[in-house]
């Protein structure tokens, strides 16, 4: 028989003892190839490294002893049940090992020989025994940490250990190490082969540590390098229009800034200067404006839009929801009221006839600025001369999507892109999630903003909360009441917007204007309700998270969030960001009956800070391992080893490593660096795959 050569991508059933049936079980765990096996990491280890003494055995303790089988094991049959007992001796002390229904054990243990046993102790009076222990011949016991894998019905730890060991030995010395050896040396990393072998079968705790360090380094390094290469490639290959002003444009801008109802903050001025500088340099802009809720990102974007338009290019402003698109449209109409700029609004709800007029205006160039939802990027929307795309984002605007922009810009060039973040994220995370963007920080809020006083409350406090709402209304201020659901449900005991609306409008405040807003209403109804609320006609807006992002009514100064435990920290911060937008002191009440400590921690974090960056850090910490903090949502590949909160030092380290390599070899032309490319492409797994 010829022996199959086993490669990284060989199917799992190439291994002896893995038939079709077993293979199917492995497939259930996502394990199809040798490579899948190598990268299926243990979730924990059985620790056999510490040796115990029989005299110290305590009930139900996990116990590892080296002992001699002092007599031939006995077999007792009880109906269909078989019980094997073996007396074990250690320095004159005895313990009995007991196995149920494993008759073969009798012949595998030799009286007089020494073994290492690992099992759970049972103490019944004077009787002590070791239940179903595993064992290995003493002296051969060099794998003292035995991997524990996540399993599926029908597979055992033994199966996983066996195939993983086989895969490792079949591929020995045949795996390429992606990292240049100099890098490995600089960061004191073991080889990939060592890491893969020892993450599965460590001999010491140090082995586990070293292997994780190396594999975690790869996860981050390859991803960050990939994102940086995409960024560089964009800078080189993507040609955007050169938007250069002249004196006339500068004068117009200056006049426009002076006409604004407020002074720009230092941070806003700085961001504007940065953008203008990039424009004038003829660079292709692809940046993120990171700022907390209410930091005033919109006007920065509006500046860039005006600049672009006055230089003769069109701009498009994209929002995640139609409510927000309409609001931006209104805001921009106000901001540009004294200018000659032509604006249009296009959402999925725009009537066909109107849509046609807009499309015509765009291709002819009579419309300067288009505001809308993702409808603005449909293929049928063609521009005359598109220069700038603003994205008020919730989700990642993919590399691929941007590439498409070039196809219908009307000038064959890629528009400049400015992304406005919806929520602040910790810096280390920004390095990953936005690794392909330049980042502009808006760290200062407009002056006079008071932090939103935030408290938790329980059901028994409801009358007090209602008195507080009344006080706001008497002051001609407005409020939001946010609920986790639209309607009552028999399955969940949560406050619904409809339920609370009925309660407030009929029972509590029958003389006041209470309105109900949620995502299931027609577009027209939603606009009418928002318009009434923004004009001050509505006192209390009962709503769902449709108002989460960006809605801006400075006269709304109180928010009650029902079942606050149902929301994530970042989301609560976003919601709260709808108030505290004017100069009056605002109040946020988090209603929750929950005693779940995790939920309580989130609410406390919110009560103790108004700073989105602090809250983002806290969020990352509270979510703990296993939650990728929007990584998946942002279309990035997952992490198996790295924990984005705990491994922040590693993120900085790998980031530095990326910079170092690119500094010396920006195009990865050196042989050692060139070898990185296939590994990076594989790690990025972006769709469609970027050409690096
Ligand atoms: P966000 O960064 O959350 O998108 P917005 O752009 O919606 O914030 O701005 C929040 C509020 O602050 C708006 O009402 C806006 O008019 C106001 N604003 C923006 N810049 C300033 C400023 N420099 N001074 C005073 N108010 C400002
Ligand atoms: Mg905004």
């Amino acid at each position: 028989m010829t022996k199959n050569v086993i490669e990284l991508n060989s199917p799992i059933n190439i291994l002896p003892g893995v038939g079709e049936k077993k293979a199917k079980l492995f497939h259930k765990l996502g394990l199809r190839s040798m490579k899948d096996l190598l990268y299926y990491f243990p979730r924990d280890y059985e620790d056999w490294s510490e040796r115990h003494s029989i005299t110290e055995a305590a009930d139900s303790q996990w116990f590892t002893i080296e002992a001699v089988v002092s007599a031939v094991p006995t077999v007792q049959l009880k109906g269909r049940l078989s019980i094997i007992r073996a007396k074990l001796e250690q320095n004159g002390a005895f313990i009995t090992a007991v196995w149920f229904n494993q008759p073969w054990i009798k012949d595998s243990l030799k009286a007089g020989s020494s073994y290492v046993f690992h099992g759970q102790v049972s103490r019944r009076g004077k009787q002590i025994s070791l239940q179903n222990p595993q064992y290995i011949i003493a002296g051969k016991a060099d794998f003292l940490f035995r991997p524990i894998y996540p399993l599926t019905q029908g597979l055992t730890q033994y199966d996983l250990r066996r195939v993983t060991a086989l895969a490792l030995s079949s591929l020995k010395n045949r795996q390429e190490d992606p990292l240049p050896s100099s890098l490995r040396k600089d960061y004191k990393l073991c080889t990939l082969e060592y890491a893969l072998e020892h993450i599965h079968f460590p001999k010491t705790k140090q082995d586990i540590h070293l292997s994780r360090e190396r594999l975690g380094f790869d996860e981050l390094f390859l991803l960050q390098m990939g994102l940086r290469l995409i960024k560089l490639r964009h800078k080189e290959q993507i040609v955007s229009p050169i938007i250069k002003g002249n004196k006339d444009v500068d004068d117009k801008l200056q006049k426009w800034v002076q006409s604004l109802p407020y002074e720009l903050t230092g941070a806003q001025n700085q961001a504007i200067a940065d953008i203008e500088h990039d424009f004038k340099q003829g660079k292709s802009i692809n940046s993120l404006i990171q700022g907390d809720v209410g930091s005033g990102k919109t006007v920065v974007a509006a500046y860039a839009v005006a600049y672009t338009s006055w230089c003769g290019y069109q701009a498009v402003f994209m929002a995640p929801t139609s409510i927000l698109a309409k609001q931006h449209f209104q805001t921009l109409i106000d901001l540009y009221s004294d200018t000659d700029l032509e604006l249009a609004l296009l959402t999925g709800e725009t009537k066909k006839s109107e849509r046609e007029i807009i499309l015509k205006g765009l291709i002819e160039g009579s419309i300067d600025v288009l505001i809308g939802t993702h409808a603005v990027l449909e293929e049928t929307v063609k521009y005359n001369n598109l220069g700038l795309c603003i994205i008020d984002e919730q989700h990642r605007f993919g590399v691929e999507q941007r590439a498409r922009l070039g196809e219908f810009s009307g000038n064959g060039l890629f528009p400049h892109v400015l992304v406005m973040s919806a929520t602040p994220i910790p810096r280390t995370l920004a390095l990953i999630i936005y690794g392909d963007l330049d980042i502009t920080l808006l760290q200062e809020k407009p002056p006079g903003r008071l932090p939103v006083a935030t408290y938790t409350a329980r059901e028994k406090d409801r009358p007090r909360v209602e008195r507080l709402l009344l006080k706001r209304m008497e002051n001609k201020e407005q409020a939001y009441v946010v609920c986790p659901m639209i309607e009552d449900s028999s399955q969940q005991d949560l406050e619904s917007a409809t339920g609370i609306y009925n309660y407030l409008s009929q029972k509590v405040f029958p003389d006041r204007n209470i309105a109900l807003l949620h995502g299931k209403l027609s577009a027209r109804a939603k606009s009418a309700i928002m318009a009434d609320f923004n004009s001050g006609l509505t006192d209390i807006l009962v709503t769902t998270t449709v108002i989460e992002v960006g809605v801006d009514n400075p006269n709304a100064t109180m928010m009650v969030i029902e079942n606050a435990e149902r929301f994530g920290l970042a989301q609560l911060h976003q919601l709260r960001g709808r108030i505290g937008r004017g100069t009056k002191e605002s109040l946020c009440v988090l209603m929750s009956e929950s005693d779940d400590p995790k939920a309580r921690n989130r609410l406390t974090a919110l009560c103790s800070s108004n700073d989105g960056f602090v809250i983002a850090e806290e969020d990352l910490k509270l979510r703990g391992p296993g939650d990728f903090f929007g990584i998946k949502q942002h279309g990035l590949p997952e992490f198996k080893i790295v924990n984005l909160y705990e491994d922040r030092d590693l993120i900085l380290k790998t980031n530095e490593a990326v910079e170092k390599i690119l500094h010396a070899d920006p195009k990865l032309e050196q042989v050692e660096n060139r070898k990185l490319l296939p590994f990076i492409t594989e790690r990025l797994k972006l769709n469609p795959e970027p050409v690096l």
Side-chain angles (χ1 to χ4, degrees), residues 191-207:
T191 62
L192 179 63
E193 182 158 289
Y194 187 94
L196 285 174
E197 192 174 324
H198 292 81
I199 190 114
H200 291 287
F201 301 109
K203 295 193 170 83
T204 59
K205 281 204 173 129
Q206 176 70 3
D207 273 344

PDB file of all heavy atoms in Angstrom, residues 191-207:
ATOM      1  N   THR A 191       9.021  29.264  17.644  1.00  0.00           N
ATOM      2  CA  THR A 191       8.627  29.011  16.257  1.00  0.00           C
ATOM      3  C   THR A 191       7.157  28.621  16.219  1.00  0.00           C
ATOM      4  O   THR A 191       6.581  28.206  17.220  1.00  0.00           O
ATOM      5  CB  THR A 191       9.426  27.849  15.636  1.00  0.00           C
ATOM      6  OG1 THR A 191       9.126  26.665  16.382  1.00  0.00           O
ATOM      7  CG2 THR A 191      10.921  28.115  15.655  1.00  0.00           C
ATOM      8  N   LEU A 192       6.581  28.707  15.023  1.00  0.00           N
ATOM      9  CA  LEU A 192       5.172  28.347  14.873  1.00  0.00           C
ATOM     10  C   LEU A 192       4.990  26.866  15.197  1.00  0.00           C
ATOM     11  O   LEU A 192       4.037  26.464  15.852  1.00  0.00           O
ATOM     12  CB  LEU A 192       4.710  28.635  13.444  1.00  0.00           C
ATOM     13  CG  LEU A 192       3.257  28.281  13.159  1.00  0.00           C
ATOM     14  CD1 LEU A 192       2.303  29.116  14.010  1.00  0.00           C
ATOM     15  CD2 LEU A 192       2.919  28.481  11.683  1.00  0.00           C
ATOM     16  N   GLU A 193       5.933  26.063  14.718  1.00  0.00           N
ATOM     17  CA  GLU A 193       5.803  24.633  14.958  1.00  0.00           C
ATOM     18  C   GLU A 193       5.811  24.316  16.452  1.00  0.00           C
ATOM     19  O   GLU A 193       4.990  23.547  16.946  1.00  0.00           O
ATOM     20  CB  GLU A 193       6.927  23.881  14.249  1.00  0.00           C
ATOM     21  CG  GLU A 193       6.787  22.394  14.435  1.00  0.00           C
ATOM     22  CD  GLU A 193       7.514  21.621  13.354  1.00  0.00           C
ATOM     23  OE1 GLU A 193       7.036  21.636  12.210  1.00  0.00           O
ATOM     24  OE2 GLU A 193       8.561  21.038  13.653  1.00  0.00           O
ATOM     25  N   TYR A 194       6.735  24.951  17.153  1.00  0.00           N
ATOM     26  CA  TYR A 194       6.803  24.731  18.600  1.00  0.00           C
ATOM     27  C   TYR A 194       5.476  25.143  19.254  1.00  0.00           C
ATOM     28  O   TYR A 194       4.918  24.429  20.082  1.00  0.00           O
ATOM     29  CB  TYR A 194       7.959  25.538  19.200  1.00  0.00           C
ATOM     30  CG  TYR A 194       8.203  25.225  20.661  1.00  0.00           C
ATOM     31  CD1 TYR A 194       9.144  24.266  21.031  1.00  0.00           C
ATOM     32  CD2 TYR A 194       7.492  25.880  21.677  1.00  0.00           C
ATOM     33  CE1 TYR A 194       9.364  23.953  22.365  1.00  0.00           C
ATOM     34  CE2 TYR A 194       7.704  25.581  23.008  1.00  0.00           C
ATOM     35  CZ  TYR A 194       8.648  24.620  23.352  1.00  0.00           C
ATOM     36  OH  TYR A 194       8.860  24.315  24.667  1.00  0.00           O
ATOM     37  N   ALA A 195       4.987  26.298  18.823  1.00  0.00           N
ATOM     38  CA  ALA A 195       3.763  26.823  19.433  1.00  0.00           C
ATOM     39  C   ALA A 195       2.589  25.888  19.185  1.00  0.00           C
ATOM     40  O   ALA A 195       1.810  25.596  20.098  1.00  0.00           O
ATOM     41  CB  ALA A 195       3.460  28.211  18.887  1.00  0.00           C
ATOM     42  N   LEU A 196       2.462  25.420  17.957  1.00  0.00           N
ATOM     43  CA  LEU A 196       1.314  24.554  17.651  1.00  0.00           C
ATOM     44  C   LEU A 196       1.404  23.238  18.410  1.00  0.00           C
ATOM     45  O   LEU A 196       0.416  22.712  18.912  1.00  0.00           O
ATOM     46  CB  LEU A 196       1.234  24.291  16.146  1.00  0.00           C
ATOM     47  CG  LEU A 196       0.714  25.481  15.334  1.00  0.00           C
ATOM     48  CD1 LEU A 196       0.799  25.199  13.845  1.00  0.00           C
ATOM     49  CD2 LEU A 196      -0.715  25.829  15.729  1.00  0.00           C
ATOM     50  N   GLU A 197       2.618  22.708  18.496  1.00  0.00           N
ATOM     51  CA  GLU A 197       2.766  21.453  19.218  1.00  0.00           C
ATOM     52  C   GLU A 197       2.441  21.635  20.698  1.00  0.00           C
ATOM     53  O   GLU A 197       1.726  20.845  21.308  1.00  0.00           O
ATOM     54  CB  GLU A 197       4.201  20.959  19.052  1.00  0.00           C
ATOM     55  CG  GLU A 197       4.379  19.533  19.506  1.00  0.00           C
ATOM     56  CD  GLU A 197       5.775  19.030  19.179  1.00  0.00           C
ATOM     57  OE1 GLU A 197       6.315  19.412  18.116  1.00  0.00           O
ATOM     58  OE2 GLU A 197       6.323  18.284  20.011  1.00  0.00           O
ATOM     59  N   HIS A 198       2.954  22.730  21.261  1.00  0.00           N
ATOM     60  CA  HIS A 198       2.844  22.884  22.712  1.00  0.00           C
ATOM     61  C   HIS A 198       1.573  23.547  23.195  1.00  0.00           C
ATOM     62  O   HIS A 198       1.276  23.515  24.381  1.00  0.00           O
ATOM     63  CB  HIS A 198       4.088  23.596  23.252  1.00  0.00           C
ATOM     64  CG  HIS A 198       5.304  22.735  23.132  1.00  0.00           C
ATOM     65  ND1 HIS A 198       6.003  22.624  21.946  1.00  0.00           N
ATOM     66  CD2 HIS A 198       5.898  21.891  24.008  1.00  0.00           C
ATOM     67  CE1 HIS A 198       7.007  21.768  22.120  1.00  0.00           C
ATOM     68  NE2 HIS A 198       6.966  21.309  23.360  1.00  0.00           N
ATOM     69  N   ILE A 199       0.816  24.118  22.272  1.00  0.00           N
ATOM     70  CA  ILE A 199      -0.487  24.607  22.742  1.00  0.00           C
ATOM     71  C   ILE A 199      -1.396  23.396  22.957  1.00  0.00           C
ATOM     72  O   ILE A 199      -2.272  23.394  23.812  1.00  0.00           O
ATOM     73  CB  ILE A 199      -1.140  25.607  21.752  1.00  0.00           C
ATOM     74  CG1 ILE A 199      -2.352  26.273  22.397  1.00  0.00           C
ATOM     75  CG2 ILE A 199      -1.630  24.941  20.474  1.00  0.00           C
ATOM     76  CD1 ILE A 199      -2.187  27.703  22.614  1.00  0.00           C
ATOM     77  N   HIS A 200      -1.128  22.335  22.188  1.00  0.00           N
ATOM     78  CA  HIS A 200      -1.919  21.111  22.372  1.00  0.00           C
ATOM     79  C   HIS A 200      -1.328  20.221  23.464  1.00  0.00           C
ATOM     80  O   HIS A 200      -2.049  19.682  24.285  1.00  0.00           O
ATOM     81  CB  HIS A 200      -1.980  20.329  21.059  1.00  0.00           C
ATOM     82  CG  HIS A 200      -2.794  21.011  20.008  1.00  0.00           C
ATOM     83  ND1 HIS A 200      -4.162  21.080  20.066  1.00  0.00           N
ATOM     84  CD2 HIS A 200      -2.427  21.691  18.890  1.00  0.00           C
ATOM     85  CE1 HIS A 200      -4.606  21.760  19.012  1.00  0.00           C
ATOM     86  NE2 HIS A 200      -3.574  22.139  18.288  1.00  0.00           N
ATOM     87  N   PHE A 201      -0.020  20.056  23.421  1.00  0.00           N
ATOM     88  CA  PHE A 201       0.611  19.126  24.361  1.00  0.00           C
ATOM     89  C   PHE A 201       1.766  19.781  25.109  1.00  0.00           C
ATOM     90  O   PHE A 201       2.928  19.467  24.874  1.00  0.00           O
ATOM     91  CB  PHE A 201       1.090  17.873  23.604  1.00  0.00           C
ATOM     92  CG  PHE A 201      -0.041  17.175  22.899  1.00  0.00           C
ATOM     93  CD1 PHE A 201      -0.154  17.205  21.514  1.00  0.00           C
ATOM     94  CD2 PHE A 201      -1.032  16.517  23.634  1.00  0.00           C
ATOM     95  CE1 PHE A 201      -1.220  16.577  20.871  1.00  0.00           C
ATOM     96  CE2 PHE A 201      -2.096  15.891  23.001  1.00  0.00           C
ATOM     97  CZ  PHE A 201      -2.189  15.923  21.611  1.00  0.00           C
ATOM     98  N   PRO A 202       1.442  20.702  25.989  1.00  0.00           N
ATOM     99  CA  PRO A 202       2.500  21.395  26.729  1.00  0.00           C
ATOM    100  C   PRO A 202       3.132  20.469  27.768  1.00  0.00           C
ATOM    101  O   PRO A 202       2.455  19.595  28.306  1.00  0.00           O
ATOM    102  CB  PRO A 202       1.762  22.536  27.416  1.00  0.00           C
ATOM    103  CG  PRO A 202       0.351  22.068  27.531  1.00  0.00           C
ATOM    104  CD  PRO A 202       0.099  21.157  26.384  1.00  0.00           C
ATOM    105  N   LYS A 203       4.411  20.694  28.008  1.00  0.00           N
ATOM    106  CA  LYS A 203       5.063  19.921  29.071  1.00  0.00           C
ATOM    107  C   LYS A 203       5.077  20.723  30.367  1.00  0.00           C
ATOM    108  O   LYS A 203       5.141  20.158  31.449  1.00  0.00           O
ATOM    109  CB  LYS A 203       6.490  19.581  28.654  1.00  0.00           C
ATOM    110  CG  LYS A 203       6.526  18.659  27.434  1.00  0.00           C
ATOM    111  CD  LYS A 203       7.922  18.074  27.246  1.00  0.00           C
ATOM    112  CE  LYS A 203       7.951  16.977  26.209  1.00  0.00           C
ATOM    113  NZ  LYS A 203       8.044  17.470  24.821  1.00  0.00           N
ATOM    114  N   THR A 204       5.064  22.031  30.220  1.00  0.00           N
ATOM    115  CA  THR A 204       5.102  22.889  31.407  1.00  0.00           C
ATOM    116  C   THR A 204       4.115  24.042  31.220  1.00  0.00           C
ATOM    117  O   THR A 204       3.626  24.269  30.110  1.00  0.00           O
ATOM    118  CB  THR A 204       6.500  23.534  31.559  1.00  0.00           C
ATOM    119  OG1 THR A 204       6.747  24.302  30.370  1.00  0.00           O
ATOM    120  CG2 THR A 204       7.585  22.499  31.738  1.00  0.00           C
ATOM    121  N   LYS A 205       3.874  24.753  32.300  1.00  0.00           N
ATOM    122  CA  LYS A 205       3.008  25.935  32.204  1.00  0.00           C
ATOM    123  C   LYS A 205       3.636  26.971  31.280  1.00  0.00           C
ATOM    124  O   LYS A 205       2.950  27.679  30.549  1.00  0.00           O
ATOM    125  CB  LYS A 205       2.809  26.540  33.600  1.00  0.00           C
ATOM    126  CG  LYS A 205       1.789  25.763  34.390  1.00  0.00           C
ATOM    127  CD  LYS A 205       1.158  26.612  35.483  1.00  0.00           C
ATOM    128  CE  LYS A 205       0.036  25.823  36.123  1.00  0.00           C
ATOM    129  NZ  LYS A 205       0.071  25.756  37.568  1.00  0.00           N
ATOM    130  N   GLN A 206       4.947  27.048  31.355  1.00  0.00           N
ATOM    131  CA  GLN A 206       5.682  27.989  30.527  1.00  0.00           C
ATOM    132  C   GLN A 206       5.421  27.709  29.038  1.00  0.00           C
ATOM    133  O   GLN A 206       5.311  28.625  28.231  1.00  0.00           O
ATOM    134  CB  GLN A 206       7.185  27.866  30.864  1.00  0.00           C
ATOM    135  CG  GLN A 206       8.115  28.709  30.031  1.00  0.00           C
ATOM    136  CD  GLN A 206       7.963  30.191  30.345  1.00  0.00           C
ATOM    137  OE1 GLN A 206       7.197  30.573  31.223  1.00  0.00           O
ATOM    138  NE2 GLN A 206       8.689  31.027  29.614  1.00  0.00           N
ATOM    139  N   ASP A 207       5.304  26.421  28.685  1.00  0.00           N
ATOM    140  CA  ASP A 207       5.005  26.050  27.302  1.00  0.00           C
ATOM    141  C   ASP A 207       3.678  26.653  26.847  1.00  0.00           C
ATOM    142  O   ASP A 207       3.555  27.149  25.731  1.00  0.00           O
ATOM    143  CB  ASP A 207       4.875  24.519  27.179  1.00  0.00           C
ATOM    144  CG  ASP A 207       6.219  23.854  26.937  1.00  0.00           C
ATOM    145  OD1 ASP A 207       7.174  24.573  26.575  1.00  0.00           O
ATOM    146  OD2 ASP A 207       6.301  22.629  27.112  1.00  0.00           O
TER     147      ASP A 207
END
